[in-house]
Amino acid sequence: MEKDFIVYQLKSIAIATQEINNAISVLIGYLKQDDHDIIVEGGPPQLQYHIPQDNDTEYLDLTDKEISKMPKQFRKEFRTNGLRAHVRKRTRGNSTSFEIRCRKGGLNISATGATLEEAKLRFIQKLNDYQNYKGIVAPNIPSTFNDFAMYYFENFRKRKVKSSTYKKDLLRLKKHLLPYFGVMKLKDIPPQMCQELIDKFVAAGNGKTAEELFTLLNCTFKTAVKHGILQHNPIDLVIHLKHERQHGKALTTEEEKLLLSEADEPFKTIFAIALYTGLRPNEYKTAQITKTMIIARNSKRHNGKEETKRIPITPMLRPYIDDNTVMPRHSLDTLRRILKRILGDRHKLYDLRTTFYTRCQMCNIAPAARDEFVGHSSGVLSNTYTDLPDEYLIKEGQKLNY
């Protein structure tokens, strides 16, 4: 047992010594400015650090261990010097950086780092990325902005978002982005051009549109990168402050009473259901009334997933419906017109949902039940393991009484 312990300690010392030698080699390489290789006696074999002079370009020296981390297709070429990378050291004031670049036969990989080791790691990672997907350009993939954007919309975005969102995004693309970038090659679009477009909408007070265009450009360019058409996403360098969205303003209790007293049927019933269920305006058409619940399709679920939401008939809603009530159907434009006639420009239809959420908080309804009522996600893990029974929701719904 004692012998094994001694052997273990000796191995630990050997490993530590090896790491110290490596560290010494690196530090000497950084300090030495001569134009020759530095090899520390007793150090690990092939551990060489060649530091070029400022703004001078030299071939990059790589160890067998570093080459072994490259994709298989590049290892032999680097070992036989069939493929070489150049390294350049740049010094600006007190800042030093290293750039490694390799160009040959359509391959164009560039990586930078504050140290030579950091640049090497990034260079090897980019080679792996290149082999995995970035260096492969599928046939017949368009390379101009207008054609590729339409290709992305028709083959990818249409599957990712709801049909209503897709239609709106397509309108934004055709109205704002296609006229701006036109037939430019994707690789010729500079970040500054994207920045100027976003800045134009922000300066005009259209922050929401600026954010929507930023998102569309980001998705389009990311897809181009994955197709191998671009190496870098130009939108990554665009400075953009997230637009602060307005989520509505709750009605006062006086405004709530005024709306329900002034509205004629069937609009009174629709407004009452909206006020006391928190349905989104686009969910009114899917709402069904049962004896104890209002059941509707949750419109905020992506990737085609169908999900219903359950809101109990609360004490505030019960006076406006009975067992024979059928959910009235009217266009949202008609509802907006009547709401404006009664409350003026102070509120919009979505404010009825904000009112319900606010009243749930005031009446101390449990957050889990409230989120179930309004159709909010509680997170992937919570949604997976939470299945609230109707009895619990009905009990919490009884608290909405003011």
Side-chain angles (χ1 to χ4, degrees), residues 62-64 66-85 102-109 123-136:
L62 293 166
T63 67
D64 280 341
E66 290 166 337
I67 292 176
S68 69
K69 295 178 181 178
M70 293 180 178
K72 190 174 181 180
Q73 72 179 84
F74 295 119
R75 293 175 195 167
K76 184 176 180 180
E77 289 191 80
F78 271 97
R79 285 194 173 107
T80 60
N81 291 334
L83 191 62
R84 301 295 302 269
C102 180
R103 289 180 178 177
K104 184 179 179 181
L107 178 69
N108 185 5
I109 302 293
F123 177 73
I124 293 170
Q125 181 59 53
K126 286 193 175 184
L127 285 176
N128 281 284
D129 290 343
Y130 180 91
Q131 176 174 282
N132 291 339
Y133 55 84
K134 293 186 178 180
I136 303 172

Side-chain angles (χ1 to χ4, degrees), residues 10-24:
L10 287 172
K11 286 183 178 179
S12 298
I13 293 171
I15 293 172
T17 303
Q18 183 88 340
E19 292 177 350
I20 291 171
N21 283 336
N22 290 350
I24 292 173

Side-chain angles (χ1 to χ4, degrees), residues 56-171:
D56 190 19
T57 302
E58 300 286 351
Y59 282 125
L60 175 67
D61 292 321
L62 293 166
T63 67
D64 280 341
K65 184 177 181 180
E66 290 166 337
I67 292 176
S68 69
K69 295 178 181 178
M70 293 180 178
K72 190 174 181 180
Q73 72 179 84
F74 295 119
R75 293 175 195 167
K76 184 176 180 180
E77 289 191 80
F78 271 97
R79 285 194 173 107
T80 60
N81 291 334
L83 191 62
R84 301 295 302 269
H86 295 83
V87 58
R88 171 176 291 178
K89 177 185 176 185
R90 289 193 173 98
T91 301
R92 294 183 177 88
N94 296 324
S95 175
T96 300
S97 64
F98 293 85
E99 179 190 16
I100 299 174
R101 182 178 289 268
C102 180
R103 289 180 178 177
K104 184 179 179 181
L107 178 69
N108 185 5
I109 302 293
S110 174
T112 59
T115 66
L116 183 57
E117 286 306 300
E118 184 179 336
K120 283 183 181 182
L121 288 174
R122 291 180 177 176
F123 177 73
I124 293 170
Q125 181 59 53
K126 286 193 175 184
L127 285 176
N128 281 284
D129 290 343
Y130 180 91
Q131 176 174 282
N132 291 339
Y133 55 84
K134 293 186 178 180
I136 303 172
V137 180
N140 302 320
I141 300 299
S143 59
T144 58
F145 180 86
N146 56 353
D147 290 338
F148 185 84
M150 292 305 302
Y151 164 81
Y152 162 70
F153 264 69
E154 291 169 3
N155 292 279
F156 298 95
R157 193 150 194 87
K158 183 180 287 186
R159 301 183 182 186
K160 185 177 180 181
V161 300
K162 297 184 303 180
S163 59
S164 58
T165 302
Y166 176 79
K167 291 176 182 177
K168 293 176 183 176
D169 286 346
L170 191 59
L171 266 173

Side-chain angles (χ1 to χ4, degrees), residues 160-356:
K160 185 177 180 181
V161 300
K162 297 184 303 180
S163 59
S164 58
T165 302
Y166 176 79
K167 291 176 182 177
K168 293 176 183 176
D169 286 346
L170 191 59
L171 266 173
R172 296 181 188 106
L173 174 72
K174 292 180 177 180
K175 183 177 180 179
H176 302 300
L177 298 181
L178 294 186
Y180 187 74
F181 294 104
V183 296
M184 286 186 68
K185 293 280 188 182
L186 287 168
K187 64 182 180 62
D188 294 333
I189 296 176
Q192 182 59 31
M193 189 174 182
C194 302
Q195 183 75 68
E196 290 172 357
L197 175 66
I198 299 301
D199 288 347
K200 182 181 75 171
F201 283 93
V202 172
N206 298 320
K208 185 173 182 293
T209 302
E211 182 172 312
E212 291 161 345
L213 297 181
F214 180 92
T215 300
L216 289 180
L217 286 174
N218 190 32
C219 293
T220 303
F221 289 139
K222 274 186 177 179
T223 306
V225 170
K226 291 181 179 180
H227 278 73
I229 297 173
L230 293 176
Q231 279 198 356
H232 305 289
N233 181 351
I235 209 74
D236 286 344
L237 295 178
V238 172
I239 299 172
H240 170 59
L241 298 177
K242 189 173 179 62
H243 174 64
E244 187 174 343
R245 296 178 181 270
Q246 299 295 326
H247 294 287
K249 180 181 179 182
L251 277 65
T252 65
T253 52
E254 290 76 17
E255 289 173 328
E256 189 179 321
K257 293 175 182 177
L258 176 64
L259 176 63
L260 295 176
S261 64
E262 292 294 322
D264 297 324
E265 290 293 359
F267 305 108
K268 183 195 297 286
T269 299
I270 297 175
F271 288 141
I273 291 174
L275 274 168
Y276 302 129
T277 65
L279 290 176
R280 299 179 180 92
N282 62 352
E283 294 170 344
Y284 297 170
K285 62 183 178 183
T286 69
Q288 301 292 332
I289 302 173
T290 69
K291 288 185 178 181
T292 58
M293 293 274 189
I294 303 291
I295 309 295
R297 186 175 65 84
N298 190 349
S299 63
K300 285 293 184 179
R301 285 296 175 265
H302 302 295
N303 300 322
K305 182 179 178 182
E306 291 287 339
E307 182 180 295
T308 57
K309 53 200 295 189
R310 299 165 292 157
I311 311 100
I313 297 176
T314 65
M316 298 301 295
L317 179 57
R318 178 56 70 185
Y320 299 94
I321 61 176
D322 55 36
D323 292 344
N324 298 317
T325 303
V326 177
M327 179 69 184
R329 310 294 181 189
H330 273 279
S331 72
L332 295 182
D333 286 340
T334 301
L335 296 176
R336 292 188 184 102
R337 188 174 65 253
I338 295 173
L339 181 73
K340 184 176 181 179
R341 175 175 61 80
I342 299 173
L343 298 180
D345 293 325
R346 300 189 301 276
H347 292 286
K348 56 186 179 181
L349 204 56
Y350 201 89
D351 289 350
L352 306 187
R353 173 177 168 83
T354 304
T355 304
F356 174 76

Side-chain angles (χ1 to χ4, degrees), residues 328 363 390:
C363 294
D390 289 352

